[in-house]
């Protein structure tokens, strides 16, 4: 079904040494005894073969290495963030697998799977570690979306842990201090007139922080699918926070780049920086301990999610949101947020219906609103289904995913433009604003998407697309806001259950506020700052209790059964990257399903695509892109520009994690790939089919 012949064939296992049956030896002994030969010594049986447990270890040229051991080859030894690391190879396992953006988090999740834990059990352990080792991306103070596949029932369940605006939020919550003071929330400078500068100011105010949802969502998913005791799932996170871990390259960069903003908060200053007056950023490889985070995890382990949403941890969160002046060395004035203890206690995760559509011989399932990711990926694929995409595959292939063809990138980018146009106009929290037709059917109709695909020309880029028209639907404005502080995990357990979960604090280091050892999100800046524009009210406007739109796109792929229903699990993937997540996931899915790539090739492949602008991105961090002279010597870039694309070769920071289930040597196997643009790692049971 899939073209995985590019995975090097595994060597045939040595046949197991079979010991001779024991009964002839016993019979011989009995006969010798009858003849008076009972004093004859029989040869000692051979020793049993030595079985080396390589589960949850990283394979290296010299053998297997325990992640976190500090031994040569340990992928957890901090290195500078490179932008792209050459040479990543697909990892093969027989029974279970975990891919995360950090080696220590992958190790924590794998150890849970090794103990017989479920995919959700592992996700809890992974998130507990990720919030410590990459706080710039996710944590207890953020939100998440999860898709879960139950291998026994075949059910795909979507779990919504998106943050919420407080009950006191108004439609002007992000752009005005109050109804009587129409200045931007502080610390925005009074002279600011640009949208980007206003965003940065609002982000650092209390108005940006939404009521966090990741922990309650994980608890709900655990109640449905957990297997091991809840209180044991936090052990790795507690140990790392207590004993310390070494700062990684990406974390070191985030600490240095966000210094000015983090010095506003006393707890963040003490944690990330040296003493004053210099407050030097703690550097790559520094051993960092976080006893406050260990205490928070310990409280969650014993008290469940309520420990975060009520009591002293919740009060610390509310107090930080309500701050009117910086507590750190930079004691500037701040506009407080209006989140209360009642908002914290009232937060509830939501089980939603996944967005599942067919694509050629497969079913593809994604997240429903308030994420736009599932709809946008499904729309893009639905348009591409009208073209023979295997005919537009890469012009060359290597371990890094080769070189995409000009027409392949053109078609994907044009379809994405059309999908983003619909996303920006129609998709928001459907608990507050309905979609056209009041469900996803209208946006995902095969006829509708065929009509949208007909707008794509082979000889010229459309530049900026126009949203589709739905008769009788109220005209609406447009919003394209979104940040980039996010991470992703893909997990398959020993029973075949699957979790794909994307989790976030929004922008790098969130709102720059720290409470009880973790950073608070700035998720509410994903809302449109303005409630309307000339076209009408904006679907993604702020409202009390509303969840901001997201582009997070955890994605599951299944074979289409003979009767047309969802069949066997084929693939799980997802990525961080703000609004570009839709592009990263789409190119990975197309890479596997249409272009026959393995999990690592599709994950590593050049990032490309477009939101709804004239610019098409071709990730210049990739070694197969010639970035000199703004890509003027790169065949792909030249070809796209000839079709009217405005091409950017700026580096792109995806963090895709992919697992494919396939057949190798006649047996079922899992093949995983981690994005070489981040510090991700694939770990599994160490067994080969």
């Amino acid at each position: 079904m899939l073209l995985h012949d590019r995975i090097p064939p595994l060597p045939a296992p040595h046949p197991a040494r079979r010991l001779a049956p024991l009964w002839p030896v016993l019979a011989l002994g009995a006969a010798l005894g009858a003849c008076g030969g009972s004093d004859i010594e029989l040869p000692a049986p051979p020793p049993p073969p030595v079985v080396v447990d390589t589960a949850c270890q990283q394979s290296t040229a010299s053998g297997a290495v325990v992640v976190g051991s500090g031994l040569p080859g340990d992928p957890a030894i901090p290195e500078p963030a490179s932008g792209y690391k050459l040479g990543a190879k697909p990892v093969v396992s027989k029974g279970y697998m975990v891919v995360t953006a950090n080696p220590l988090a992958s190790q924590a999740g794998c150890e849970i799977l090794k103990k017989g834990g479920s995919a959700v059990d592992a996700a809890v352990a992974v998130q507990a570690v990720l919030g410590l080792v990459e706080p710039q991306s996710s944590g207890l103070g953020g939100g998440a979306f999860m898709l879960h596949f139950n291998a026994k029932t075949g059910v795909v369940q979507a779990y919504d842990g998106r943050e919420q605006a407080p009950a006191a939020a108004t439609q002007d919550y992000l752009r005005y201090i109050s109804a009587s003071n129409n200045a931007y929330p502080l610390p925005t400078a009074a002279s600011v007139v640009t949208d980007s500068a206003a965003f940065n100011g609002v982000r650092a105010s209390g108005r940006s922080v939404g009521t966090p949802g990741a922990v309650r969502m994980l608890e709900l998913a655990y109640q449905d699918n957990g297997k091991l005791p809840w209180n044991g799932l936090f052990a790795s996170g507690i140990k790392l926070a207590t004993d310390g871990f070494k700062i990684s390259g990406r974390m070191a960069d985030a600490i240095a780049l966000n210094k000015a903003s983090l010095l506003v908060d006393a707890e963040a200053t003490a944690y990330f920086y040296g003493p004053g007056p210099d407050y030097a950023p703690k550097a790559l490889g520094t051993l960092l301990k976080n006893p406050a985070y260990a205490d928070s995890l310990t409280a969650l382990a014993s008290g469940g999610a309520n420990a975060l949403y009520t009591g002293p941890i919740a009060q610390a969160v509310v107090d930080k949101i309500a701050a009117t002046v910086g507590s750190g060395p930079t004691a500037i004035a701040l506009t407080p947020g209006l989140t209360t203890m009642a908002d914290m206690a009232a937060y509830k995760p939501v089980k939603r219906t996944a967005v599942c559509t067919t694509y050629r011989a497969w079913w593809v399932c994604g997240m429903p609103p308030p994420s736009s990711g599932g709809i946008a990926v499904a729309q893009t694929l639905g348009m591409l289904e009208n073209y023979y995409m295997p005919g537009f595959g890469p012009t060359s292939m290597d371990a890094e995913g080769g070189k995409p063809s000009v027409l392949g990138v053109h078609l994907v980018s044009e379809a994405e433009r059309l999908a983003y146009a619909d996303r920006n106009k129609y998709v928001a929290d459907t608990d507050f604003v309905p979609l056209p037709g009041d469900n996803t059917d209208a946006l995902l109709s095969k006829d509708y998407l065929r009509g949208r695909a007909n707008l794509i020309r082979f000889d010229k880029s459309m530049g900026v697309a126009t949203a589709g028209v739905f008769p009788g639907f109220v005209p609406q404005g447009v919003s394209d806001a979104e940040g980039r502080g996010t991470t992703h995990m893909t997990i398959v357990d020993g029973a075949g259950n699957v979790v794909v979960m994307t989790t976030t604090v929004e922008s790098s280091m969130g709102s720059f506020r720290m409470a009880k050892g973790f950073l608070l999100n700035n998720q509410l800046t994903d809302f449109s700052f303005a409630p309307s524009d000339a076209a009408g009210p904006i679907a993604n406007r702020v409202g009390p209790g509303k969840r901001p739109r997201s582009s997070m796109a955890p994605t599951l792929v299944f074979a289409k059964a003979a009767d047309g229903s969802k069949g066997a699990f084929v693939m799980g993937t997802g990525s961080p990257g703000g609004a570009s997540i839709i592009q990263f996931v789409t190119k990975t899915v197309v890479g596997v399903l249409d272009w026959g790539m393995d999990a690592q090739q599709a994950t590593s492949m050049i990032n490309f695509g477009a939101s709804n602008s004239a610019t098409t991105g071709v990730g210049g961090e990739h070694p197969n892109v010639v970035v000199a002279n703004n890509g003027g010597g790169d065949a792909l870039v030249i070809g796209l520009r000839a079709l009217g694309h405005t091409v950017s070769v700026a580096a792109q920071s995806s963090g895709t994690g992919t697992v494919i289930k396939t057949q190798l040597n006649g047996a079922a196997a899992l093949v995983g790939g981690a994005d070489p643009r981040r510090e991700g790692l694939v770990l599994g049971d160490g067994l080969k089919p």
Side-chain angles (χ1 to χ4, degrees):
M1 181 173 56
L2 302 179
L3 301 179
H4 295 304
D5 54 328
R6 294 190 179 92
I7 301 174
L10 295 171
H14 293 293
R17 180 183 299 170
R18 296 184 178 274
L19 299 180
L22 190 57
W23 65 265
V25 176
L26 295 176
L28 175 62
L32 291 173
C35 299
S38 60
D39 57 341
I40 297 176
E41 294 186 6
L42 296 176
V50 176
V51 178
V52 179
D53 182 6
T54 58
C56 302
Q57 297 187 24
Q58 172 71 6
S59 296
T60 67
S62 58
V65 174
V66 176
V67 178
S69 65
L71 297 174
D74 181 357
I77 295 176
E79 298 178 1
S82 64
Y84 191 98
K85 185 182 291 185
L86 282 164
K89 292 181 171 54
V91 175
V92 179
S93 283
K94 188 175 181 180
Y96 55 80
M97 183 168 281
V98 56
V99 191
T100 84
N102 183 277
L104 295 172
S106 294
Q107 177 73 8
C110 193
E111 290 296 338
I112 293 295
L113 298 178
K114 185 178 178 179
K115 294 175 182 176
S118 70
V120 169
D121 292 340
V124 175
V126 166
Q127 181 63 87
V129 173
L130 284 176
L132 176 71
V133 300
E134 55 164 27
Q136 71 274 13
S137 297
S138 73
L140 307 183
F145 289 112
M146 175 194 288
L147 286 184
H148 179 270
F149 168 62
N150 186 308
K152 185 175 181 179
T153 65
V155 172
V156 176
Q157 181 65 64
Y159 292 91
D160 171 3
R162 187 65 162 168
E163 299 89 335
Q164 280 183 310
T170 68
Q171 65 179 10
D172 294 320
Y173 187 68
L174 296 176
R175 65 174 183 165
Y176 296 154
I177 289 177
S178 68
S180 60
N181 184 350
N182 289 356
Y184 284 121
L186 299 174
T188 305
S191 60
V192 160
V193 292
T194 65
D195 289 343
S196 60
F199 169 86
N200 289 333
V202 174
R203 172 190 171 186
S205 78
R207 297 294 174 85
S208 73
V209 186
T211 304
V215 174
R216 275 236 191 269
M217 186 213 74
L218 283 167
E219 185 180 63
L220 176 62
Y222 172 82
Q223 289 167 351
D224 291 345
N225 306 286
K227 188 175 179 182
L228 300 181
W230 168 269
N231 61 6
L233 304 179
F234 299 88
S236 291
I238 293 169
K239 180 174 174 55
L240 284 167
T242 303
D243 297 345
F245 67 98
K246 291 184 178 180
I247 294 175
S248 68
R250 288 185 62 82
M251 184 176 176
D253 287 352
I255 292 170
L257 290 171
N258 292 293
K259 178 179 177 180
S261 297
L262 288 166
L263 289 183
V264 174
D265 184 88
E267 187 174 343
T269 299
Y271 184 58
F272 292 119
Y273 303 96
D278 295 332
Y279 300 106
K282 292 182 180 177
L284 174 72
T286 302
L287 185 69
L288 195 58
K289 298 180 180 181
N290 192 338
Y293 188 80
D295 289 344
S296 292
L297 290 186
T298 300
L300 288 171
S302 60
N306 275 339
L308 179 67
Y309 293 88
T310 61
I313 299 178
Q315 189 65 61
V317 170
V318 168
D319 290 347
K320 278 295 175 75
I321 296 172
T324 57
V325 64
S327 58
T330 307
I332 57 176
L334 304 169
T335 296
L338 302 179
T339 300
T340 66
M341 290 290 283
D343 290 314
M344 293 289 291
Y347 182 86
K348 286 183 171 54
V350 182
K351 288 200 280 190
R352 301 190 186 274
T353 301
V355 175
C356 295
T357 58
T358 59
Y359 179 64
R360 308 191 199 281
W362 300 278
W363 280 89
V364 180
C365 295
M367 278 302 306
S371 180
S372 63
I375 291 175
V377 170
Q379 281 195 314
T380 302
L381 294 175
M383 286 179 259
L384 294 176
E385 194 171 31
N386 294 281
Y387 302 95
Y388 182 64
M389 291 304 294
F392 303 109
T395 57
S396 62
M397 181 52 64
D398 59 15
E400 311 301 331
K403 187 84 167 185
S405 70
V406 172
L407 281 177
V409 172
H410 172 73
L411 290 173
V412 171
S413 300
E414 296 296 280
E416 288 171 346
R417 285 182 165 89
L418 292 160
Y420 275 92
D422 282 356
R423 164 200 182 266
N424 294 347
K425 192 173 186 69
Y426 296 122
V427 183
D429 185 346
T430 48
D431 290 343
F432 292 78
V433 180
L435 294 169
D438 207 24
N439 56 41
T440 61
D441 292 351
L443 287 167
L444 299 180
S445 158
K446 296 286 187 181
D447 289 340
Y448 172 70
L449 294 177
R450 189 176 301 111
R452 298 288 276 167
N454 285 338
L455 300 174
I456 299 174
R457 293 174 51 172
F458 273 80
D459 62 339
K460 184 180 180 181
S461 173
M462 68 183 68
V464 177
T466 302
V469 176
F470 297 91
F473 195 72
V474 178
Q476 293 184 146
V478 172
S479 166
D480 59 2
E482 192 140 0
R484 291 178 174 270
T486 308
T487 192
H488 178 82
M489 65 186 78
T490 299
I491 303 170
V492 181
D493 67 27
N497 305 306
V498 187
V499 161
V500 281
M501 173 173 152
T502 313
T503 173
T504 182
V505 290
E506 176 59 353
S507 302
S508 177
M509 295 292 189
S511 63
F512 313 117
R513 296 161 189 245
M514 207 167 192
K516 297 293 187 180
F518 57 89
L519 287 166
L520 305 184
N521 69 84
N522 66 299
Q523 207 69 64
L524 300 191
T525 56
D526 269 0
F527 281 120
S528 169
F529 281 32
S532 62
D533 63 15
I538 293 172
N540 190 37
R541 61 191 179 273
V542 188
K546 193 174 181 181
R547 302 177 189 219
R549 185 188 62 207
S550 168
S551 292
M552 290 188 279
T555 300
L556 294 170
V557 179
F558 302 89
K560 191 185 290 184
D563 63 359
S565 64
K566 285 193 293 293
F569 166 71
V570 170
M571 174 184 180
T573 193
S575 178
S580 298
I581 289 172
I582 293 161
Q583 299 165 42
F584 301 151
V585 169
T586 298
K587 70 103 184 183
T588 305
V589 172
V590 169
V592 173
L593 302 186
D594 288 322
W595 296 341
M597 297 183 184
D598 66 44
Q600 189 60 61
Q601 288 171 318
T603 297
S604 297
M605 180 174 45
I606 294 170
N607 285 326
F608 62 83
S611 57
N612 194 20
S613 76
T615 300
T616 298
V618 174
E621 79 290 342
H622 198 284
N624 291 345
V625 177
V626 181
V627 297
N629 191 30
N630 194 28
D634 186 274
L636 173 57
V637 174
I638 292 169
L640 290 170
R641 286 175 177 159
L643 294 176
H645 293 260
T646 299
V647 180
S648 168
V649 292
Q652 298 188 31
S653 181
S654 56
T656 309
T658 306
V659 175
I660 294 171
K661 188 171 185 180
T662 187
Q663 292 282 316
L664 292 176
N665 297 330
L670 299 171
V671 182
D675 203 318
R677 299 162 184 86
R678 296 206 181 191
E679 298 153 344
L681 183 67
V682 185
L683 289 175
D685 57 18
L687 301 175
K688 303 295 187 290

